[in-house]
Amino acid sequence: MKLGGHETFYPRPGWLTKGLLHLRAGGVGVFSAPETADQLGVGRNMAKSIGWWLHATGLATRSNRNSPLEPTPLGAVLAEYDPYMVRLGTWWLVHASAMTCGAETSLPWFFSPRRPERCNRTVLAEALMRDLSSKRGKAPAVKTVQREVAAVMQAYAVPVPRSRSDPEDNLGSPFHRLDLWRHLHGTDRFERSETTPIPPEALGLVLSALGMSQPSATLREGILQDIAIGSAPMTRAGAMLGRSREALLDLAAASERELGPEVLRVRTLAGERYVSLPSAAASIWARRFYDRVGAAREAA
């Protein structure tokens, strides 16, 4: 897990769209370059942050540490079907990818089952400091950890009460639409909240990656998985998607109705409930989502 790189900026609306369309059009994938910032129409630090978020969410990747970013198959699907990223389901897919794409960021840490339902900045910073110290053998700088907590929680936590700024300014993070965390300004505390509706494809994406223990962008496809409701992968999936075990089972049952049992189903084996699904990469789950909602729109 690496800290920083986002330049303490959370992703403003339109940022990832700009970056993704820039790459799709053949633009240079070096977001630290001055010419990239000029082409995007943002400052250099913001351009670096756009590149970081594209990589952190699995929408872009690089062949090695110093090579330019290129769109991933998931990024290509999003650019084709929802280039301006206006659908709520798109942001659930982006979040699911961020949790499972294998980028060495802190984002999945904030959605671990070990994180408390209610906490403050100090609790998060101290826990992150402990985990990093135990893995590295050396404690990171306190201010670095505090900046990490501030940036990630600003990206995800919905402010309560909401700002009275002009709604047309649209300055909030698009991850606020998921309602995974809330920030209570009066007490400066964070708490998990009831999320917005989760598309079944986001559940399938997360379970495929966790069940196979492989990054969601590159995992082997078509491997049948039986994931027990009480298993560690299911617990991790619940934390990533903001659902309890029973709520996750309900989501899985609804997903079976939406997608069909050949894609995902709930069944009982030896008295224990399982979610069964053939593994599929993130881009396949995204394409299924857009095909499904497109078909639903045509039927309407």
Side-chain angles (χ1 to χ4, degrees), residues 120-255:
N120 57 32
R121 297 174 194 271
T122 301
V123 169
L124 288 173
E126 289 177 349
L128 182 56
M129 178 78 77
R130 285 194 302 271
D131 285 358
L132 289 170
S133 299
S134 64
K135 292 176 181 177
R136 297 180 177 182
K138 179 182 177 182
V142 173
K143 287 187 177 180
T144 300
V145 173
Q146 290 173 338
R147 283 197 299 267
E148 191 76 9
V149 169
V152 175
M153 296 310 287
Q154 193 174 22
Y156 273 99
V158 179
V160 179
R162 290 181 180 270
S163 170
R164 294 189 179 184
S165 60
D166 188 339
E168 292 187 359
D169 290 342
N170 200 21
L171 298 178
S173 166
F175 287 115
H176 291 175
R177 297 176 65 185
L178 311 185
D179 213 0
L180 283 158
W181 282 96
R182 291 191 176 183
H183 178 213
L184 308 179
H185 275 293
T187 57
D188 196 24
R189 292 181 64 83
F190 300 101
E191 63 178 31
R192 297 301 293 264
S193 59
E194 185 175 349
T195 68
T196 52
I198 301 171
E201 294 82 2
L203 174 64
L205 192 163
V206 167
L207 290 181
S208 280
L210 295 181
M212 294 288 291
S213 298
Q214 294 180 14
S216 57
T218 58
L219 57 78
R220 294 173 58 195
E221 297 181 29
I223 308 297
L224 183 62
Q225 304 169 84
D226 289 316
I227 305 174
I229 292 298
S231 66
M234 196 66 71
T235 300
R236 290 178 62 197
M240 290 174 176
L241 299 175
R243 294 293 179 102
S244 67
R245 184 177 299 175
E246 288 304 314
L248 202 64
L249 180 61
D250 291 342
L251 176 60
S255 298

